[in-house]
Amino acid sequence: MTNAVNDKAVVKDYFNATGFDRWRRIYGDGEVNKVQKDIRIGHQQTIDTVIDWLKSDGNLAELSICDAGCGVGSLSIPLAQAGAKVWASDISEKMVGEAREKAKEVLGEIYNPTFSVQDLESLGGKYHTVVCLDVLIHYPTEDAAKMIGHLASLAENRLILSFAPKTLCLTILKKIGEFFPGPSKTTRAYQHKEADIIKILENNGFTIGRTSMTSTRFYFSRILEAVRN
């Protein structure tokens, strides 16, 4: 548990300091370097995949959605635009502040999404769908299992996760420093075996539905939709 606390503290400090400035640029539309642009494209592809899934079901306006680890609102804001009722949270106060400002620009005074500064473990409530994208990379599998279990307890019908898959190719890239390159890298990047994540979801009463893979030069994300049995 000490390792989990340490990882959480590192992530919180990072995204409230140098990490915030770096990732705000990546998630935005301003000028970035080639590596950051590649990561921006990959992250947006993951966001687009999840939005397409939710929209294709035809009932998005009827759903309550928890966006756990919302960052600057890249997913929360378009879901709110589409009519979903969204509760969004992030461990970083600066990220949440940026998300609120973006939501005001896009949505005006409509009080949706509802944003809060919280870590995954402290989230409460019940939601039709819980989404957690690009967060598990900050935590080792043993701690990720606990977090997934908690998120599963909040999801009445569905849990959607993304994670960096552990493959031989990506392990080699990570070891030679190409997985998350750049001088501002200060957090550990954990990969997860897909079989391990699926087993955790199954142990929490879910069955795998849709799956997808986002792969660019520097961004790799496996996306799983898990539906409650």
Side-chain angles (χ1 to χ4, degrees):
M1 188 55 143
T2 301
N3 190 52
V5 173
N6 289 341
D7 280 318
K8 184 168 68 175
V10 168
V11 170
K12 183 176 181 179
D13 291 344
Y14 174 66
F15 281 104
N16 275 320
T18 57
F20 168 71
D21 293 326
R22 181 188 186 216
W23 289 97
R24 179 176 60 175
R25 289 196 303 272
I26 290 175
Y27 293 153
D29 54 13
E31 185 175 345
V32 290
N33 64 41
K34 290 182 179 179
V35 172
Q36 291 171 332
K37 185 175 181 180
D38 182 86
I39 295 171
R40 173 191 288 174
I41 291 170
H43 176 73
Q44 190 59 51
Q45 287 177 4
T46 294
I47 295 291
D48 290 343
T49 294
V50 173
I51 291 174
D52 287 346
W53 283 356
L54 296 178
K55 284 185 174 180
S56 68
D57 291 341
N59 63 341
L60 187 52
E62 303 169 11
L63 302 187
S64 59
I65 297 176
C66 172
D67 182 8
C70 66
V72 297
S74 303
L75 176 68
S76 298
I77 294 171
L79 290 182
Q81 280 183 294
K85 186 63 177 176
V86 182
W87 283 264
S89 63
D90 199 276
I91 196 172
S92 166
E93 183 176 355
K94 283 193 172 184
M95 286 286 187
V96 171
E98 181 78 4
R100 284 195 181 110
E101 290 302 313
K102 287 191 171 186
K104 286 180 183 178
E105 292 175 8
V106 175
L107 300 166
E109 296 302 316
I110 299 174
Y111 199 65
N112 183 29
T114 299
F115 290 104
S116 63
V117 181
Q118 290 180 279
D119 57 51
L120 298 187
E121 298 96 323
S122 66
L123 291 176
K126 292 290 184 180
Y127 312 90
H128 178 281
T129 297
V130 175
V131 184
C132 185
L133 302 182
D134 293 351
V135 174
L136 295 181
I137 195 169
H138 300 299
Y139 301 97
T141 299
E142 60 269 25
D143 298 321
K146 299 172 186 175
M147 295 178 186
I148 292 171
H150 179 61
L151 293 176
S153 73
L154 310 179
E156 295 178 330
N157 295 85
R158 176 171 51 194
L159 176 57
I160 298 174
L161 300 172
S162 75
F163 57 94
K166 189 168 187 176
T167 65
L168 178 60
C169 177
L170 295 188
T171 299
I172 293 171
L173 284 176
K174 181 175 181 290
K175 284 183 177 179
I176 63 177
E178 294 179 6
F179 189 63
F180 273 118
S184 59
K185 176 190 172 185
T186 60
T187 61
R188 285 169 278 192
Y190 295 101
Q191 298 163 272
H192 301 286
K193 293 180 180 178
E194 183 172 349
D196 291 341
I197 300 299
I198 291 176
K199 185 64 175 177
I200 293 167
L201 291 166
E202 290 176 344
N203 288 343
N204 282 278
F206 287 81
T207 299
I208 302 303
R210 290 168 286 198
T211 66
S212 185
M213 178 70 196
T214 303
S215 180
T216 65
R217 188 177 178 187
F218 296 104
Y219 176 96
F220 307 90
S221 184
R222 184 66 167 160
I223 314 167
L224 300 180
E225 175 193 52
V227 181
R228 186 171 289 283
N229 295 330

